[in-house]
Every structure is written in structure tokens, then in C-alpha cells.
């Protein structure tokens, strides 16, 4: 299993440009999430999905869109990049059924994004 | 307000010098507490999940414990390869899948 994969690893954008960060998992996990990590702060949830076709907002959703057309893929779209979106972005997935203990999240290697 | 606080922010130890990292939480209800290890330039790597006060989990030189207000990650006789940032996260009871709160981490450095 490749686990959770993310592309690209690094990206530089200019203010106002748009782009899509890719995330894929091969563990047949239902839950997938996007986080951003900034210096001195904990990981903050941007958007999440509990299954194909179902997405919802997390703590910091503004400026980002997601969709989930398949179980495997969960892309994150930046609509009009701003310097405040400079961060490291992590995708995570987990298998969870209510009442079971196995809801550990597995993280991808991250995408380091700089917006000039 | 639900909150997770890790201390210290940074810790430097000599190889073989045991110590503990703290994760204190103030939440409305705990479903589970997670510990992760994060190496520079990489994603967090899962270490442990704890579910109830009194529970303990061990893995090599690491041992995680849980009380009603905090969790400790004990590191016994650490080696330089244990150097990393250790993250703690809490999943809240009676909440949606989104409600996982991360602490800001402890940067651990082990000198040979």
C-alpha cells in the first residue's frame, strides 16, 4: 500500500492564481481531511469528507473548495491564492465506524505552498 | 472553549536522559487522545491512541499515559533518532468527524 499520497510537494503561486492540491489514498478509508500547519500553531482542519459525494467545512474553510467524487481522491482547490494561504498542507484519511476504536488518522507527506 | 496545550515547546536532552512531554486538555468530553511523531518535512506519523483515564500504551522507548486532564509521553533512555516534533490531538465525544483538536507540539532534540 502506498498509503496517503500528495502532489505536488512544493508549489509557488502568485497572488490571485488558482491551483489544486491532489490527495489520494489506497486504504479504502471513508474519512478524508485537509489540514494546514503554520509555525507555532496546531494543525487546523480546512475541509473533510465522510465518504464519496459528502464534504463539509472544518475550522478554516475560507478560500478553499473540495469535492469527493471517489473514495480514493480528495483534491483541495485554492480559488484565488492569497499570501495568508502560505502554509504546509496535509491530507489525512481514516477508517471509522461509529462505536469502533479504529479512527486513527494517517497523514500524507504534505505540500509546501508559498504565495507571493 | 475546547483546548489542547502541549509543554514544553522545545526540549533538549542528552542521549540516555529520560524525560516526559505533557499534553493537557480542556474539552467537553473525550473520545480519544492521539500521539503523533513528525519529522522535519514529513507528515505526522501515528504513535498511540488512548481512550480512558488510566490507560497506558508502549512502543519501544515511548510510553503514553492518560488521566482525566492530561496525557504524558514518557521517553526512556532516548537516542538521537528519537529527535522529532511530538504532536498530541484530541477527538471530542458527541461531535462530528471534524472535531479533532491538535496541540502545537513539542520539539524534542536528543544530543549524542
Amino acid at each position: 500500500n502506498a498509503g496517503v499520497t500528495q502532489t505536488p510537494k512544493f508549489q509557488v503561486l502568485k497572488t490571485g492564481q488558482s491551483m489544486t492540491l491532489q490527495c489520494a489514498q489506497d486504504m479504502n478509508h471513508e474519512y478524508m481531511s485537509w489540514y494546514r500547519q503554520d509555525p507555532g500553531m496546531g494543525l487546523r482542519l480546512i475541509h473533510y469528507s465522510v465518504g464519496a459525494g459528502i464534504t463539509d467545512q472544518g475550522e478554516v474553510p475560507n478560500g478553499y473548495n473540495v469535492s469527493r467524487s471517489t473514495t480514493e481522491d480528495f483534491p483541495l482547490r485554492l480559488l484565488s491564492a492569497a499570501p495568508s494561504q502560505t502554509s504546509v498542507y496535509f491530507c489525512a484519511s481514516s477508517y471509522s465506524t461509529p462505536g469502533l476504536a479504529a479512527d486513527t488518522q494517517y497523514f500524507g507527506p504534505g505540500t509546501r505552498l508559498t504565495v507571493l | 472553549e475546547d483546548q489542547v496545550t502541549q509543554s514544553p515547546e522545545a526540549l533538549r536532552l542528552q542521549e540516555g536522559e529520560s524525560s516526559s512531554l505533557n499534553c493537557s486538555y480542556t474539552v467537553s468530553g473525550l473520545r480519544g487522545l492521539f500521539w503523533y511523531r513528525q519529522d522535519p518535512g514529513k507528515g505526522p506519523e501515528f504513535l498511540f491512541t488512548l481512550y480512558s483515564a488510566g490507560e497506558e500504551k508502549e512502543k519501544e522507548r515511548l510510553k503514553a499515559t492518560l488521566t482525566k486532564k492530561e496525557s504524558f509521553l514518557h521517553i526512556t533512555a532516548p537516542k538521537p533518532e528519537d529527535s522529532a516534533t511530538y504532536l498530541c490531538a484530541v477527538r471530542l465525544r458527541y461531535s462530528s468527524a471534524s472535531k479533532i483538536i491538535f496541540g502545537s507540539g513539542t520539539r524534542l532534540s536528543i544530543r549524542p
Side-chain angles (χ1 to χ4, degrees):
Chain A
N1 286 351
V4 180
T5 57
Q6 291 183 239
T7 56
K9 287 191 173 181
F10 302 94
Q11 183 70 50
V12 179
L13 293 177
K14 294 182 180 178
T15 297
Q17 288 185 314
S18 62
M19 78 160 294
T20 299
L21 280 62
Q22 300 293 342
C23 173
Q25 52 90 11
D26 61 358
M27 297 175 281
N28 201 32
H29 285 171
E30 290 296 319
Y31 289 136
M32 295 187 74
S33 308
W34 276 102
Y35 291 88
R36 60 179 290 173
Q37 187 175 40
D38 300 294
M41 303 185 73
L43 287 154
R44 291 183 293 167
L45 184 68
I46 304 171
H47 284 287
Y48 69 100
S49 169
V50 299
I54 306 170
T55 63
D56 206 345
Q57 296 181 349
E59 182 185 356
V60 288
N62 292 341
Y64 308 96
N65 270 3
V66 292
S67 60
R68 184 99 179 267
S69 56
T70 68
T71 299
E72 295 77 20
D73 300 298
F74 190 43
L76 177 73
R77 297 183 189 84
L78 278 70
L79 307 173
S80 178
S84 60
Q85 293 178 305
T86 294
S87 187
V88 182
Y89 291 84
F90 290 102
C91 178
S93 74
S94 62
Y95 173 74
S96 179
T97 299
L100 291 185
D103 55 3
T104 300
Q105 290 194 102
Y106 296 90
F107 285 82
T111 294
R112 188 173 296 273
L113 176 68
T114 301
V115 182
L116 303 175
Chain B
E1 182 187 352
D2 299 316
Q3 202 166 3
V4 176
T5 304
Q6 290 188 246
S7 61
E9 285 188 19
L11 181 62
R12 298 190 69 182
L13 300 173
Q14 200 68 35
E15 183 173 1
E17 179 186 1
S18 302
S19 188
S20 297
L21 313 182
N22 177 264
C23 172
S24 63
Y25 58 92
T26 307
V27 298
S28 49
L30 180 72
R31 174 174 165 177
L33 185 143
F34 306 91
W35 282 99
Y36 288 87
R37 170 191 170 126
Q38 186 174 23
D39 293 302
K42 296 191 175 180
E45 176 188 344
F46 170 73
L47 292 173
F48 304 109
T49 308
L50 302 167
Y51 291 98
S52 56
E55 189 175 359
E56 299 181 352
K57 295 263 179 85
E58 285 189 69
K59 180 180 180 179
E60 296 180 358
R61 295 176 292 281
L62 299 176
K63 179 180 176 180
T65 61
L66 182 65
T67 73
K68 289 186 177 180
K69 292 185 178 181
E70 58 192 348
S71 176
F72 291 95
L73 186 64
H74 307 278
I75 301 177
T76 302
K79 298 181 178 182
E81 53 262 41
D82 295 321
S83 297
T85 295
Y86 290 85
L87 304 174
C88 138
V90 166
R91 172 163 275 174
L92 302 188
R93 193 182 296 275
Y94 314 123
S95 69
S96 69
S98 67
K99 204 61 175 176
I100 298 177
I101 304 171
F102 278 82
S104 55
T106 294
R107 288 191 317 277
L108 178 65
S109 175
I110 309 297
R111 298 189 300 271

